[in-house]
Amino acid sequence: MIVHSPLKVVLASRNVGKLREFAELLPDIQVVPWPADAPELPETGAFFQDNALQKAEGARAWWLAHGTEPVDGVLADDSGLCVDALWGGPGVLSARFAPDLPAYRDKIRRLLAMLPEGAVRTARFVCVLAYAPLQAPPFTISGSVEGSLALEPRGESGFGYDPIFLPEGHDHTFGELPAETKHSLSHRARACQALWRRLLGEGM
Ligand code: IMP
């Protein structure tokens, strides 16, 4: 049952880059940020899907007990950069890669330094969304974008590993491309489009 129009959804994440992108990618959904006093949500799975479900279900349980406003459901995103020459890494560990280096420009330098000389530079961003309605079983939906790694970080837009990701067919990184271009082809944009179609199909 839909409680609100527009749909009102808690985003189970404190990542400000993700929060901004969801607000832009899902303009017909009212996105409520994960409260500052709410607990960190564990993500201990081996796969994006496990972690997305774990975060959505953990956030829903917390919200049912402590939520300060009525919402329709909880949305969680587990995403990351999968580099072929690193056997798909950092993948699910993208946020936790190089924990001794908090700044992304340093994580990026380490990641680039890990590539063997002459390695194939192909990579992809993957996003798995888990949506947990307050009173119905959760489901997951995913999106990905193929690309390759730039030789050096370029551009200041976006967040995380955007400055080294060259989406297929583009000579500029996500860090250089305008947000509208990223939103027309990104892993998160594709997952959000699929989520929206699914919600509409379910008689939202
Ligand atoms: P998690 O889903 O919270 O485990 O973290 C996902 C991590 O993957 C982010 O903190 C970024 O490091 C990376 N990531 C996911 N999506 C993007 C993106 O769109 N651009 C750049 N980095 C991303």
Side-chain angles (χ1 to χ4, degrees), residues 1-4 7-10 34 56-75 131-139 199:
M1 183 185 72
I2 301 304
V3 183
H4 299 96
L7 196 70
K8 196 168 166 187
V9 163
V10 179
W34 190 234
E57 289 176 329
R60 176 173 64 180
W62 187 87
W63 197 267
L64 284 168
H66 308 284
T68 46
E69 54 186 301
V71 298
D72 296 288
V74 174
L75 181 64
Y131 181 63
L134 280 204
Q135 306 295 348
F139 63 86
L199 290 171

mmCIF file of all heavy atoms in Angstrom, residues 1-4 7-10 34 56-75 131-139 199:
data_model
loop_
_atom_site.group_PDB
_atom_site.id
_atom_site.type_symbol
_atom_site.label_atom_id
_atom_site.label_comp_id
_atom_site.label_asym_id
_atom_site.label_seq_id
_atom_site.Cartn_x
_atom_site.Cartn_y
_atom_site.Cartn_z
ATOM 1 N N MET A 1 0.841 -1.195 0.000
ATOM 2 C CA MET A 1 0.000 0.000 0.000
ATOM 3 C C MET A 1 0.880 1.249 0.000
ATOM 4 O O MET A 1 1.846 1.334 0.735
ATOM 5 C CB MET A 1 -0.867 0.011 1.256
ATOM 6 C CG MET A 1 -1.822 1.179 1.276
ATOM 7 S SD MET A 1 -2.755 1.296 2.822
ATOM 8 C CE MET A 1 -1.506 1.855 3.965
ATOM 9 N N ILE A 2 0.570 2.193 -0.846
ATOM 10 C CA ILE A 2 1.322 3.428 -0.892
ATOM 11 C C ILE A 2 0.727 4.413 0.106
ATOM 12 O O ILE A 2 -0.459 4.717 0.082
ATOM 13 C CB ILE A 2 1.267 4.044 -2.302
ATOM 14 C CG1 ILE A 2 1.838 3.062 -3.325
ATOM 15 C CG2 ILE A 2 2.011 5.364 -2.349
ATOM 16 C CD1 ILE A 2 3.238 2.598 -3.052
ATOM 17 N N VAL A 3 1.558 4.876 1.020
ATOM 18 C CA VAL A 3 1.079 5.781 2.057
ATOM 19 C C VAL A 3 1.096 7.220 1.561
ATOM 20 O O VAL A 3 0.218 8.010 1.887
ATOM 21 C CB VAL A 3 1.975 5.650 3.311
ATOM 22 C CG1 VAL A 3 1.466 6.527 4.445
ATOM 23 C CG2 VAL A 3 2.034 4.204 3.755
ATOM 24 N N HIS A 4 2.127 7.523 0.762
ATOM 25 C CA HIS A 4 2.326 8.924 0.379
ATOM 26 C C HIS A 4 2.344 9.102 -1.122
ATOM 27 O O HIS A 4 2.753 8.211 -1.836
ATOM 28 C CB HIS A 4 3.661 9.443 0.921
ATOM 29 C CG HIS A 4 3.727 9.384 2.395
ATOM 30 N ND1 HIS A 4 4.304 8.338 3.040
ATOM 31 C CD2 HIS A 4 3.238 10.220 3.323
ATOM 32 C CE1 HIS A 4 4.174 8.535 4.345
ATOM 33 N NE2 HIS A 4 3.539 9.659 4.540
ATOM 34 N N LEU A 7 5.904 8.996 -3.489
ATOM 35 C CA LEU A 7 6.464 7.946 -2.636
ATOM 36 C C LEU A 7 7.557 8.536 -1.736
ATOM 37 O O LEU A 7 8.378 9.329 -2.194
ATOM 38 C CB LEU A 7 7.077 6.894 -3.561
ATOM 39 C CG LEU A 7 7.390 5.525 -2.974
ATOM 40 C CD1 LEU A 7 6.101 4.769 -2.669
ATOM 41 C CD2 LEU A 7 8.211 4.710 -3.978
ATOM 42 N N LYS A 8 7.532 8.155 -0.469
ATOM 43 C CA LYS A 8 8.532 8.675 0.477
ATOM 44 C C LYS A 8 9.376 7.508 0.973
ATOM 45 O O LYS A 8 8.844 6.538 1.522
ATOM 46 C CB LYS A 8 7.783 9.325 1.640
ATOM 47 C CG LYS A 8 8.621 10.219 2.501
ATOM 48 C CD LYS A 8 7.666 10.995 3.406
ATOM 49 C CE LYS A 8 8.343 11.663 4.534
ATOM 50 N NZ LYS A 8 7.385 12.250 5.473
ATOM 51 N N VAL A 9 10.685 7.629 0.773
ATOM 52 C CA VAL A 9 11.578 6.494 0.986
ATOM 53 C C VAL A 9 12.800 6.924 1.799
ATOM 54 O O VAL A 9 13.398 7.955 1.514
ATOM 55 C CB VAL A 9 12.018 5.973 -0.415
ATOM 56 C CG1 VAL A 9 13.226 5.092 -0.325
ATOM 57 C CG2 VAL A 9 10.879 5.247 -1.096
ATOM 58 N N VAL A 10 13.166 6.132 2.794
ATOM 59 C CA VAL A 10 14.401 6.388 3.549
ATOM 60 C C VAL A 10 15.565 5.791 2.773
ATOM 61 O O VAL A 10 15.496 4.631 2.358
ATOM 62 C CB VAL A 10 14.362 5.709 4.934
ATOM 63 C CG1 VAL A 10 15.664 5.956 5.686
ATOM 64 C CG2 VAL A 10 13.195 6.206 5.745
ATOM 65 N N TRP A 34 19.322 9.005 5.875
ATOM 66 C CA TRP A 34 19.502 8.156 7.066
ATOM 67 C C TRP A 34 19.906 9.067 8.233
ATOM 68 O O TRP A 34 20.883 9.814 8.124
ATOM 69 C CB TRP A 34 20.576 7.116 6.765
ATOM 70 C CG TRP A 34 20.737 6.017 7.782
ATOM 71 C CD1 TRP A 34 21.882 5.659 8.408
ATOM 72 C CD2 TRP A 34 19.727 5.125 8.249
ATOM 73 N NE1 TRP A 34 21.655 4.607 9.242
ATOM 74 C CE2 TRP A 34 20.336 4.253 9.175
ATOM 75 C CE3 TRP A 34 18.357 4.968 7.997
ATOM 76 C CZ2 TRP A 34 19.635 3.241 9.841
ATOM 77 C CZ3 TRP A 34 17.662 3.967 8.662
ATOM 78 C CH2 TRP A 34 18.300 3.124 9.561
ATOM 79 N N ALA A 56 19.132 -2.798 3.600
ATOM 80 C CA ALA A 56 17.711 -2.414 3.503
ATOM 81 C C ALA A 56 16.917 -3.034 4.655
ATOM 82 O O ALA A 56 16.081 -2.364 5.280
ATOM 83 C CB ALA A 56 17.145 -2.845 2.156
ATOM 84 N N GLU A 57 17.188 -4.309 4.956
ATOM 85 C CA GLU A 57 16.415 -4.978 6.011
ATOM 86 C C GLU A 57 16.784 -4.430 7.387
ATOM 87 O O GLU A 57 15.922 -4.233 8.247
ATOM 88 C CB GLU A 57 16.608 -6.491 5.928
ATOM 89 C CG GLU A 57 15.887 -7.041 4.708
ATOM 90 C CD GLU A 57 16.089 -8.537 4.482
ATOM 91 O OE1 GLU A 57 17.157 -9.054 4.843
ATOM 92 O OE2 GLU A 57 15.172 -9.158 3.930
ATOM 93 N N GLY A 58 18.093 -4.150 7.584
ATOM 94 C CA GLY A 58 18.528 -3.570 8.864
ATOM 95 C C GLY A 58 17.917 -2.187 9.065
ATOM 96 O O GLY A 58 17.447 -1.845 10.160
ATOM 97 N N ALA A 59 17.898 -1.401 8.006
ATOM 98 C CA ALA A 59 17.358 -0.041 8.109
ATOM 99 C C ALA A 59 15.848 -0.076 8.322
ATOM 100 O O ALA A 59 15.294 0.714 9.081
ATOM 101 C CB ALA A 59 17.705 0.744 6.839
ATOM 102 N N ARG A 60 15.172 -1.008 7.652
ATOM 103 C CA ARG A 60 13.716 -1.101 7.833
ATOM 104 C C ARG A 60 13.384 -1.473 9.279
ATOM 105 O O ARG A 60 12.486 -0.879 9.890
ATOM 106 C CB ARG A 60 13.124 -2.130 6.871
ATOM 107 C CG ARG A 60 11.632 -2.329 7.097
ATOM 108 C CD ARG A 60 10.999 -3.201 6.057
ATOM 109 N NE ARG A 60 11.521 -4.570 6.079
ATOM 110 C CZ ARG A 60 11.126 -5.521 5.255
ATOM 111 N NH1 ARG A 60 10.209 -5.256 4.336
ATOM 112 N NH2 ARG A 60 11.627 -6.734 5.329
ATOM 113 N N ALA A 61 14.112 -2.452 9.842
ATOM 114 C CA ALA A 61 13.843 -2.867 11.228
ATOM 115 C C ALA A 61 14.056 -1.685 12.177
ATOM 116 O O ALA A 61 13.252 -1.448 13.086
ATOM 117 C CB ALA A 61 14.763 -4.031 11.605
ATOM 118 N N TRP A 62 15.131 -0.935 11.932
ATOM 119 C CA TRP A 62 15.406 0.214 12.811
ATOM 120 C C TRP A 62 14.317 1.261 12.648
ATOM 121 O O TRP A 62 13.824 1.829 13.634
ATOM 122 C CB TRP A 62 16.787 0.812 12.501
ATOM 123 C CG TRP A 62 17.168 1.882 13.493
ATOM 124 C CD1 TRP A 62 17.801 1.697 14.687
ATOM 125 C CD2 TRP A 62 16.902 3.290 13.395
ATOM 126 N NE1 TRP A 62 17.951 2.904 15.334
ATOM 127 C CE2 TRP A 62 17.416 3.896 14.561
ATOM 128 C CE3 TRP A 62 16.286 4.084 12.430
ATOM 129 C CZ2 TRP A 62 17.328 5.269 14.803
ATOM 130 C CZ3 TRP A 62 16.196 5.457 12.662
ATOM 131 C CH2 TRP A 62 16.713 6.030 13.837
ATOM 132 N N TRP A 63 13.925 1.505 11.395
ATOM 133 C CA TRP A 63 12.933 2.558 11.162
ATOM 134 C C TRP A 63 11.576 2.185 11.786
ATOM 135 O O TRP A 63 10.888 3.033 12.358
ATOM 136 C CB TRP A 63 12.765 2.812 9.648
ATOM 137 C CG TRP A 63 12.083 4.127 9.405
ATOM 138 C CD1 TRP A 63 10.738 4.343 9.237
ATOM 139 C CD2 TRP A 63 12.688 5.414 9.360
ATOM 140 N NE1 TRP A 63 10.478 5.679 9.089
ATOM 141 C CE2 TRP A 63 11.670 6.363 9.151
ATOM 142 C CE3 TRP A 63 14.005 5.867 9.470
ATOM 143 C CZ2 TRP A 63 11.921 7.725 9.058
ATOM 144 C CZ3 TRP A 63 14.254 7.222 9.368
ATOM 145 C CH2 TRP A 63 13.221 8.137 9.167
ATOM 146 N N LEU A 64 11.211 0.903 11.692
ATOM 147 C CA LEU A 64 9.926 0.483 12.277
ATOM 148 C C LEU A 64 9.910 0.725 13.789
ATOM 149 O O LEU A 64 8.880 1.037 14.379
ATOM 150 C CB LEU A 64 9.660 -0.997 11.974
ATOM 151 C CG LEU A 64 9.209 -1.273 10.524
ATOM 152 C CD1 LEU A 64 9.260 -2.764 10.213
ATOM 153 C CD2 LEU A 64 7.790 -0.730 10.282
ATOM 154 N N ALA A 65 11.076 0.606 14.429
ATOM 155 C CA ALA A 65 11.147 0.799 15.880
ATOM 156 C C ALA A 65 11.387 2.259 16.274
ATOM 157 O O ALA A 65 10.902 2.707 17.312
ATOM 158 C CB ALA A 65 12.266 -0.078 16.456
ATOM 159 N N HIS A 66 12.130 3.000 15.450
ATOM 160 C CA HIS A 66 12.593 4.326 15.879
ATOM 161 C C HIS A 66 12.288 5.458 14.907
ATOM 162 O O HIS A 66 12.638 6.610 15.195
ATOM 163 C CB HIS A 66 14.119 4.322 16.082
ATOM 164 C CG HIS A 66 14.608 3.228 16.973
ATOM 165 N ND1 HIS A 66 14.464 3.268 18.343
ATOM 166 C CD2 HIS A 66 15.221 2.057 16.698
ATOM 167 C CE1 HIS A 66 14.978 2.169 18.864
ATOM 168 N NE2 HIS A 66 15.436 1.417 17.886
ATOM 169 N N GLY A 67 11.750 5.149 13.752
ATOM 170 C CA GLY A 67 11.559 6.176 12.714
ATOM 171 C C GLY A 67 10.728 7.344 13.233
ATOM 172 O O GLY A 67 9.806 7.161 14.024
ATOM 173 N N THR A 68 11.091 8.530 12.776
ATOM 174 C CA THR A 68 10.444 9.737 13.296
ATOM 175 C C THR A 68 9.328 10.222 12.386
ATOM 176 O O THR A 68 8.607 11.155 12.745
ATOM 177 C CB THR A 68 11.488 10.860 13.421
ATOM 178 O OG1 THR A 68 12.250 10.885 12.207
ATOM 179 C CG2 THR A 68 12.407 10.622 14.612
ATOM 180 N N GLU A 69 9.186 9.628 11.200
ATOM 181 C CA GLU A 69 8.110 10.046 10.300
ATOM 182 C C GLU A 69 7.666 8.840 9.484
ATOM 183 O O GLU A 69 8.454 7.923 9.248
ATOM 184 C CB GLU A 69 8.576 11.176 9.376
ATOM 185 C CG GLU A 69 9.843 10.859 8.603
ATOM 186 C CD GLU A 69 10.361 12.057 7.815
ATOM 187 O OE1 GLU A 69 9.619 12.573 6.971
ATOM 188 O OE2 GLU A 69 11.517 12.449 8.045
ATOM 189 N N PRO A 70 6.396 8.830 9.052
ATOM 190 C CA PRO A 70 5.926 7.699 8.253
ATOM 191 C C PRO A 70 6.541 7.719 6.853
ATOM 192 O O PRO A 70 6.659 8.788 6.252
ATOM 193 C CB PRO A 70 4.415 7.895 8.181
ATOM 194 C CG PRO A 70 4.141 9.269 8.649
ATOM 195 C CD PRO A 70 5.352 9.817 9.321
ATOM 196 N N VAL A 71 6.948 6.554 6.379
ATOM 197 C CA VAL A 71 7.508 6.434 5.023
ATOM 198 C C VAL A 71 6.905 5.192 4.363
ATOM 199 O O VAL A 71 6.288 4.368 5.031
ATOM 200 C CB VAL A 71 9.050 6.309 5.038
ATOM 201 C CG1 VAL A 71 9.712 7.532 5.637
ATOM 202 C CG2 VAL A 71 9.500 5.045 5.767
ATOM 203 N N ASP A 72 7.112 5.078 3.056
ATOM 204 C CA ASP A 72 6.601 3.918 2.327
ATOM 205 C C ASP A 72 7.564 2.740 2.362
ATOM 206 O O ASP A 72 7.150 1.588 2.285
ATOM 207 C CB ASP A 72 6.345 4.296 0.864
ATOM 208 C CG ASP A 72 5.257 5.338 0.754
ATOM 209 O OD1 ASP A 72 4.091 4.991 0.987
ATOM 210 O OD2 ASP A 72 5.580 6.510 0.486
ATOM 211 N N GLY A 73 8.861 3.042 2.420
ATOM 212 C CA GLY A 73 9.820 1.952 2.378
ATOM 213 C C GLY A 73 11.230 2.457 2.566
ATOM 214 O O GLY A 73 11.463 3.644 2.814
ATOM 215 N N VAL A 74 12.166 1.515 2.446
ATOM 216 C CA VAL A 74 13.588 1.819 2.655
ATOM 217 C C VAL A 74 14.356 1.370 1.413
ATOM 218 O O VAL A 74 14.124 0.277 0.894
ATOM 219 C CB VAL A 74 14.103 1.060 3.900
ATOM 220 C CG1 VAL A 74 15.597 1.235 4.054
ATOM 221 C CG2 VAL A 74 13.380 1.554 5.142
ATOM 222 N N LEU A 75 15.268 2.231 0.971
ATOM 223 C CA LEU A 75 16.075 1.927 -0.203
ATOM 224 C C LEU A 75 17.539 1.844 0.210
ATOM 225 O O LEU A 75 18.043 2.726 0.923
ATOM 226 C CB LEU A 75 15.910 3.044 -1.240
ATOM 227 C CG LEU A 75 16.668 2.889 -2.560
ATOM 228 C CD1 LEU A 75 16.162 1.673 -3.337
ATOM 229 C CD2 LEU A 75 16.510 4.152 -3.414
ATOM 230 N N TYR A 131 15.062 -2.604 -2.338
ATOM 231 C CA TYR A 131 13.942 -1.789 -1.855
ATOM 232 C C TYR A 131 13.104 -2.656 -0.917
ATOM 233 O O TYR A 131 12.674 -3.751 -1.282
ATOM 234 C CB TYR A 131 13.084 -1.280 -3.025
ATOM 235 C CG TYR A 131 11.936 -0.424 -2.530
ATOM 236 C CD1 TYR A 131 12.191 0.781 -1.862
ATOM 237 C CD2 TYR A 131 10.620 -0.822 -2.678
ATOM 238 C CE1 TYR A 131 11.156 1.564 -1.375
ATOM 239 C CE2 TYR A 131 9.576 -0.045 -2.190
ATOM 240 C CZ TYR A 131 9.852 1.151 -1.540
ATOM 241 O OH TYR A 131 8.831 1.912 -1.041
ATOM 242 N N ALA A 132 12.914 -2.156 0.300
ATOM 243 C CA ALA A 132 12.128 -2.882 1.300
ATOM 244 C C ALA A 132 10.900 -2.035 1.648
ATOM 245 O O ALA A 132 11.013 -1.064 2.402
ATOM 246 C CB ALA A 132 12.963 -3.142 2.552
ATOM 247 N N PRO A 133 9.721 -2.382 1.077
ATOM 248 C CA PRO A 133 8.503 -1.709 1.524
ATOM 249 C C PRO A 133 8.337 -1.994 3.016
ATOM 250 O O PRO A 133 8.824 -3.013 3.514
ATOM 251 C CB PRO A 133 7.382 -2.381 0.711
ATOM 252 C CG PRO A 133 8.074 -3.134 -0.392
ATOM 253 C CD PRO A 133 9.454 -3.442 0.104
ATOM 254 N N LEU A 134 7.638 -1.122 3.741
ATOM 255 C CA LEU A 134 7.594 -1.332 5.200
ATOM 256 C C LEU A 134 6.924 -2.647 5.579
ATOM 257 O O LEU A 134 7.290 -3.264 6.567
ATOM 258 C CB LEU A 134 6.899 -0.158 5.888
ATOM 259 C CG LEU A 134 7.747 1.094 6.119
ATOM 260 C CD1 LEU A 134 7.195 1.917 7.252
ATOM 261 C CD2 LEU A 134 9.223 0.800 6.342
ATOM 262 N N GLN A 135 5.921 -3.060 4.770
ATOM 263 C CA GLN A 135 5.173 -4.264 5.175
ATOM 264 C C GLN A 135 5.152 -5.334 4.098
ATOM 265 O O GLN A 135 4.181 -6.074 3.998
ATOM 266 C CB GLN A 135 3.717 -3.877 5.520
ATOM 267 C CG GLN A 135 3.567 -2.780 6.551
ATOM 268 C CD GLN A 135 4.091 -3.176 7.943
ATOM 269 O OE1 GLN A 135 4.370 -4.344 8.208
ATOM 270 N NE2 GLN A 135 4.249 -2.179 8.822
ATOM 271 N N ALA A 136 6.162 -5.426 3.268
ATOM 272 C CA ALA A 136 6.182 -6.447 2.208
ATOM 273 C C ALA A 136 7.622 -6.901 2.004
ATOM 274 O O ALA A 136 8.559 -6.202 2.411
ATOM 275 C CB ALA A 136 5.606 -5.869 0.914
ATOM 276 N N PRO A 137 7.805 -8.067 1.368
ATOM 277 C CA PRO A 137 9.173 -8.568 1.190
ATOM 278 C C PRO A 137 10.013 -7.620 0.330
ATOM 279 O O PRO A 137 9.495 -6.999 -0.595
ATOM 280 C CB PRO A 137 8.985 -9.907 0.462
ATOM 281 C CG PRO A 137 7.556 -10.250 0.622
ATOM 282 C CD PRO A 137 6.789 -8.989 0.827
ATOM 283 N N PRO A 138 11.323 -7.547 0.617
ATOM 284 C CA PRO A 138 12.203 -6.695 -0.191
ATOM 285 C C PRO A 138 12.506 -7.344 -1.540
ATOM 286 O O PRO A 138 12.321 -8.542 -1.714
ATOM 287 C CB PRO A 138 13.469 -6.606 0.652
ATOM 288 C CG PRO A 138 13.467 -7.840 1.483
ATOM 289 C CD PRO A 138 12.034 -8.243 1.688
ATOM 290 N N PHE A 139 12.980 -6.533 -2.475
ATOM 291 C CA PHE A 139 13.483 -7.076 -3.737
ATOM 292 C C PHE A 139 14.728 -6.288 -4.138
ATOM 293 O O PHE A 139 14.963 -5.189 -3.618
ATOM 294 C CB PHE A 139 12.412 -7.025 -4.841
ATOM 295 C CG PHE A 139 11.961 -5.643 -5.210
ATOM 296 C CD1 PHE A 139 12.653 -4.886 -6.159
ATOM 297 C CD2 PHE A 139 10.826 -5.080 -4.623
ATOM 298 C CE1 PHE A 139 12.239 -3.611 -6.506
ATOM 299 C CE2 PHE A 139 10.410 -3.804 -4.961
ATOM 300 C CZ PHE A 139 11.120 -3.061 -5.908
ATOM 301 N N LEU A 199 8.381 -0.240 -9.674
ATOM 302 C CA LEU A 199 7.424 0.356 -8.738
ATOM 303 C C LEU A 199 6.145 0.751 -9.476
ATOM 304 O O LEU A 199 5.040 0.531 -8.980
ATOM 305 C CB LEU A 199 8.043 1.570 -8.048
ATOM 306 C CG LEU A 199 9.161 1.252 -7.032
ATOM 307 C CD1 LEU A 199 9.844 2.534 -6.577
ATOM 308 C CD2 LEU A 199 8.621 0.478 -5.843
#
